[in-house]
Amino acid sequence: MNIFTFKTEEDFVQTGANLIASLVQSKPNAVLGLATGSSPIGIYTRLAEMNKKGLVSFSQVSAYNLDEYVGISEDHSQSYKTFMKENLFNHIDINLQNTHIPNANAEDLEVECKAYDLALEQNGPVDLQILGIGSNGHIGFNEPDDHLYGGTHVLDLLEETLEANARFFDSLDEVPKQAITMGVGGIMKARQIILLARGAGKAEAVKAALQGPITTQCPASLLQCHPNVIVLLDEKAGSLL
Ligand code: F6R
């Protein structure tokens, strides 16, 4: 793993954006694996700026998102579909038809999960997967457990994840209790992974993920088995390493 710790947000953001932009410059039809959440927002904003300046084009890129809440409509203000449009897709020249987010409103979620994996298999592998990390070590919404799933699946979010995500909703009660997520098998198939973490609240998870034992109780620790992971941290997230 290549671990970089940045003193300034500007360096964190620009490095993340440069890594993604240089892949797309060298492979215009790259397949990106995208995350939502606060960690990648600055990087997405910077990519949009680079796109506007003509430094990088996403016109041939396809994108697969990690996850989506179950139980809210896709045009809900906090759906991950809305998040991606507001924070990236509406501001770059990507063809929306080439963007993919699990459809949590599908009639049969099991069929939807299988279809998502099939699409990833046919159009993948993902060239570059962006990941955040939960303070409990989750990646995507693969929560700590005594077993994990390889493929895309529906799961119950843990209390700590509901609490962490309550900041985006009016109350804890409104946070969806379930999500669809790509499984760890799907994530690990990416050619390259960039793991992002900022803030003291992530320091323990980052230490467990990068230096602890490989265990399903810290799903991000599985990344130690991946041959091509870049970790971008701010000083607080990296403070226990
Ligand atoms: C989001 C996702 C989650 C987040 C994680 C960190 O698509 O899959 O794993 O990356 O919960 O969230 P933030 O970045 O908001 O701290």
Side-chain angles (χ1 to χ4, degrees), residues 101-136:
I101 298 179
N103 176 9
N105 288 292
E107 222 164 83
D108 186 331
L109 291 182
E110 256 183 56
V111 171
E112 170 63 16
C113 290
K114 288 207 176 93
Y116 205 68
D117 284 339
L118 189 66
L120 275 164
E121 210 163 299
Q122 286 172 344
N123 305 319
V126 165
D127 291 297
L128 180 55
Q129 175 69 55
I130 309 300
L131 290 179
I133 180 171
S135 48
N136 64 4

Side-chain angles (χ1 to χ4, degrees), residues 35-40 66-67 80 132-134 138-141 167 202:
T36 60
S38 44
S39 305
L66 283 166
D67 40 23
Y80 285 171
I133 180 171
H138 74 212
I139 46 175
F141 274 137
R167 67 192 195 277
K202 299 292 173 68

Side-chain angles (χ1 to χ4, degrees), residues 90-105:
N90 285 351
H91 310 288
I92 59 174
D93 61 348
I94 198 164
N95 179 348
L96 278 184
Q97 297 209 329
N98 295 336
T99 65
H100 309 271
I101 298 179
N103 176 9
N105 288 292

Side-chain angles (χ1 to χ4, degrees), residues 74-190:
E74 63 175 35
D75 55 4
H76 188 284
S77 64
Q78 295 307 325
S79 78
Y80 285 171
K81 186 160 188 175
T82 301
F83 176 101
M84 288 310 299
K85 283 190 183 164
E86 287 182 351
N87 289 290
L88 186 64
F89 297 155
N90 285 351
H91 310 288
I92 59 174
D93 61 348
I94 198 164
N95 179 348
L96 278 184
Q97 297 209 329
N98 295 336
T99 65
H100 309 271
I101 298 179
N103 176 9
N105 288 292
E107 222 164 83
D108 186 331
L109 291 182
E110 256 183 56
V111 171
E112 170 63 16
C113 290
K114 288 207 176 93
Y116 205 68
D117 284 339
L118 189 66
L120 275 164
E121 210 163 299
Q122 286 172 344
N123 305 319
V126 165
D127 291 297
L128 180 55
Q129 175 69 55
I130 309 300
L131 290 179
I133 180 171
S135 48
N136 64 4
H138 74 212
I139 46 175
F141 274 137
N142 295 278
E143 299 278 37
D145 204 341
D146 32 353
H147 57 268
L148 295 173
Y149 292 96
T152 300
H153 59 284
V154 178
L155 79 153
D156 296 331
L157 297 168
L158 294 183
E159 198 57 36
E160 58 248 39
T161 300
L162 301 179
E163 280 164 19
N165 291 357
R167 67 192 195 277
F168 300 115
F169 292 83
D170 289 338
S171 72
L172 182 58
D173 280 352
E174 286 183 27
V175 185
K177 311 268 179 299
Q178 285 194 313
I180 294 192
T181 185
M182 272 170 67
V184 287
I187 293 171
M188 293 289 280
K189 282 182 193 150

